Amino acid sequence: MNSRTQQLIDFTKAKFGLDNYYLQRHRFDREITPANETVYTLSMEWFPNHAAGQEEEDLNPEGTAVIEIEVNRPKVKSVIFVMGKTYAQNGIVFPNRNTQEIIQWVEAETGLTYGKQFQLRKEEEGELQFAECFEGIAVSPSGFIEVKWNPQGQLTSFSVYGQFPFPKSVKQEIYTLSLDKAEPLAKEQFKLVNFPSYEQNQWVPVYAVEEIFVTNDGTSTLPFEFIVNTQSSVRMDQTLVWDKPIERSQTAFEGKEIQWLEEITAEQAFANEPSPDSLPITEEEREACATAVKDFLSRELPDDTGQWTLKSLHREKGRIHATLRAAQQNTCVFQRKLTVLLDADTLQVHNVIDNQPMLDMFNSFEEPEEIKISGEQAYAKLKSFFELTPYYVYDAQQNQYSLCGKFDCNYGAHAVSGEIVSLNEL
């Protein structure tokens, strides 16, 4: 075993009091941060000594310690004792089991400052959850810290996820945005959307706001997306059209099995070798990917010319993912989506992820009732519920966080009755 790997294993065993455990398996993983940095982790599964000889494949016994350590810091990324059971001795213990004690421990463990880079979000018996922030202002993409402990104060779970920006990566400014200033742009987010009602087995028409970020000067918007744009991802917004479909082979397309776990060596990890996923997608690759996806669609879906828009490309696990949306969007809250997985070297299609099976679940739903409330009436009803919350939003192109306002509304107006309804209950 690599000597530096052994050092990390010994560090982990001592830190978490794992004398009653043995290391069952370990592996290296890596991920790309929004700033396009490669972060390597050592993932370990420690089994209780009494489980020796009783191991079952892909099954961790109660009390197993699953621990991830960042390789080149070293820093604890996550600790989970399976089923909340721990056999640790002289590990992490919170004698007082109070909020202040645990906040101080988190600060010491992460190097972060409470109130400046993380803040309390939820407090329950034996559990604290914190949200990522900068100077008390929420950030996007959002991160979190979670700590759990048992009645004896022993740590049973600890997770850190996010970037937790420092001042040098933030464009600091005074928040001047208001709902009045943001309204001209935000009003464009007001739409009629059909939500599925399982109780009624019917689509329910509701006027609602699609959340979006508005820049602090109120002049532009940033789409609210769950996948962060990094320097190795690009927006395309290209409708795919062909005059003549490519003749399809006699056999239907069969996707290749996708391996989501990479085989990473200790040498790669300790050398902090940049992941291939951190490479930018060149202009030449963009054109080649668009052509490869178009040719695939023209062969497999020959009648769909002009019906798909290539929205974006991004690298992931050695492949280039092409995200496509239906060119003509309807009012359904769920829209048709395809993700075409291309080999990063050959650009051959390896597999396709289609959300059509999920949409088919609603085939039996009745059409929505006739609309009786106009958009203007609904807007007037909802306006008092609009929210604008300050956020620092990461801009991959500028490699910094910029101050914005998140325009959102937790309620909608029923397009038939005019009733104000909670979107969380739909």
Side-chain angles (χ1 to χ4, degrees):
M1 179 182 293
N2 182 290
S3 61
R4 293 181 66 182
T5 303
Q6 187 62 57
Q7 289 176 6
L8 282 178
I9 291 172
D10 294 342
F11 163 80
T12 303
K13 183 175 183 179
K15 182 178 181 66
F16 295 102
L18 302 178
D19 287 339
N20 291 331
Y21 286 78
Y22 65 96
L23 184 61
Q24 170 66 11
R25 60 180 72 96
H26 70 280
R27 62 172 288 111
F28 289 98
D29 294 305
R30 64 186 173 193
E31 64 180 13
I32 307 299
T33 71
N36 234 38
E37 299 171 340
T38 303
V39 176
Y40 284 89
T41 57
L42 175 63
S43 301
M44 296 162 278
E45 295 177 25
W46 296 80
F47 281 18
N49 286 338
H50 62 256
Q54 306 174 31
E55 299 92 343
E56 296 183 39
E57 188 175 359
D58 298 327
L59 181 64
N60 290 337
E62 182 182 73
T64 295
V66 182
I67 302 176
E68 285 186 80
I69 304 285
E70 286 193 20
V71 167
N72 293 298
R73 302 219 182 177
K75 189 174 86 173
V76 178
K77 186 176 180 182
S78 71
V79 182
I80 299 174
F81 287 90
V82 174
M83 303 297 289
K85 180 70 174 178
T86 175
Y87 298 100
Q89 291 185 329
N90 301 317
I92 307 298
V93 181
F94 307 115
N96 301 317
R97 300 185 291 281
N98 63 47
T99 301
Q100 187 58 37
E101 175 189 36
I102 292 164
I103 288 175
Q104 291 175 350
W105 178 81
V106 170
E107 287 185 317
E109 191 66 34
T110 62
L112 303 173
T113 302
Y114 181 70
K116 290 183 175 294
Q117 292 162 296
F118 69 103
Q119 53 194 353
L120 186 63
R121 179 173 62 186
K122 185 178 180 181
E123 184 173 4
E124 294 184 348
E125 184 69 27
E127 178 181 357
L128 290 178
Q129 294 181 11
F130 303 93
E132 180 182 0
C133 69
F134 179 78
E135 298 293 346
I137 295 177
V139 302
S140 179
S142 59
F144 67 87
I145 300 173
E146 182 182 74
V147 186
K148 295 181 181 180
W149 60 95
N150 64 16
Q152 291 74 45
Q154 295 174 292
L155 180 74
T156 58
S157 179
F158 172 57
S159 298
V160 182
Y161 176 82
Q163 301 308 306
F164 301 91
F166 286 88
K168 65 179 182 180
S169 63
V170 179
K171 180 184 178 183
Q172 299 186 57
E173 54 184 308
I174 298 174
Y175 184 69
T176 59
L177 196 60
S178 66
L179 275 172
D180 288 340
K181 288 175 63 176
E183 187 174 359
L185 289 173
K187 195 170 184 178
E188 299 175 7
Q189 302 303 113
F190 190 72
K191 300 176 180 178
L192 178 64
V193 183
N194 289 328
F195 290 86
S197 170
Y198 293 94
E199 292 182 359
Q200 303 174 33
N201 199 48
Q202 185 179 31
W203 292 100
V204 177
V206 175
Y207 289 101
V209 165
E210 184 178 5
E211 55 195 353
I212 199 166
F213 291 112
V214 181
T215 56
N216 192 36
D217 60 10
T219 62
S220 59
T221 61
L222 300 172
F224 185 92
E225 296 180 351
F226 291 101
I227 297 179
V228 178
N229 286 330
T230 68
Q231 294 168 25
S232 60
S233 68
V234 291
R235 297 199 66 83
M236 299 292 286
D237 293 322
Q238 179 178 338
T239 301
L240 302 180
V241 179
W242 52 89
D243 296 325
K244 184 179 179 182
I246 296 176
E247 186 175 347
R248 182 179 180 179
S249 62
Q250 294 182 350
T251 58
F253 171 78
E254 289 189 17
K256 298 181 180 179
E257 183 178 355
I258 300 299
Q259 298 293 332
W260 295 105
L261 291 177
E262 297 179 281
E263 292 296 329
I264 298 170
T265 67
E267 289 72 24
Q268 288 175 297
F270 289 111
N272 206 27
E273 177 184 294
S275 168
D277 291 346
S278 66
L279 295 172
I281 299 176
T282 65
E283 187 64 39
E284 183 180 359
E285 286 175 315
R286 298 179 198 183
E287 294 178 5
C289 286
T291 298
V293 172
K294 182 182 72 171
D295 289 350
F296 174 78
L297 292 180
S298 74
R299 182 170 57 250
E300 301 299 324
L301 302 171
D303 297 329
D304 280 9
T305 179
Q307 296 184 26
W308 291 99
T309 298
L310 175 58
K311 299 296 293 183
S312 64
L313 301 171
H314 75 272
R315 295 187 187 273
E316 185 176 342
K317 303 298 182 184
R319 289 174 289 273
I320 295 179
H321 290 216
T323 300
L324 297 96
R325 299 275 187 179
Q328 296 297 322
Q329 300 284 297
N330 56 35
T331 56
C332 176
V333 68
F334 304 118
Q335 297 291 327
R336 183 77 185 282
K337 176 183 177 181
L338 289 178
T339 303
V340 180
L341 280 56
L342 303 161
D343 182 278
D345 296 319
T346 66
L347 298 187
Q348 291 184 338
V349 176
H350 275 192
N351 215 319
V352 178
I353 302 173
D354 188 351
N355 72 342
Q356 186 61 54
M358 182 197 76
L359 300 180
D360 289 341
M361 296 168 52
F362 306 110
N363 286 345
S364 63
F365 277 42
E366 296 181 16
E367 291 297 310
E369 297 180 53
E370 182 181 352
I371 306 300
K372 296 182 179 179
I373 303 297
S374 69
E376 290 76 12
Q377 291 173 307
Y379 188 87
K381 286 175 174 286
L382 278 179
K383 189 174 180 179
S384 62
F385 294 95
F386 292 166
E387 297 179 356
L388 189 67
T389 309
Y391 262 79
Y392 277 107
V393 181
Y394 182 71
D395 183 340
Q397 303 307 315
Q398 300 296 324
N399 193 23
Q400 68 175 1
Y401 290 82
S402 299
L403 189 58
C404 296
K406 179 185 174 185
F407 180 77
D408 196 11
C409 184
N410 294 320
Y411 298 90
H414 198 292
V416 179
S417 66
E419 177 187 1
I420 299 300
V421 295
S422 170
L423 297 181
N424 293 328
E425 297 177 1
L426 289 176

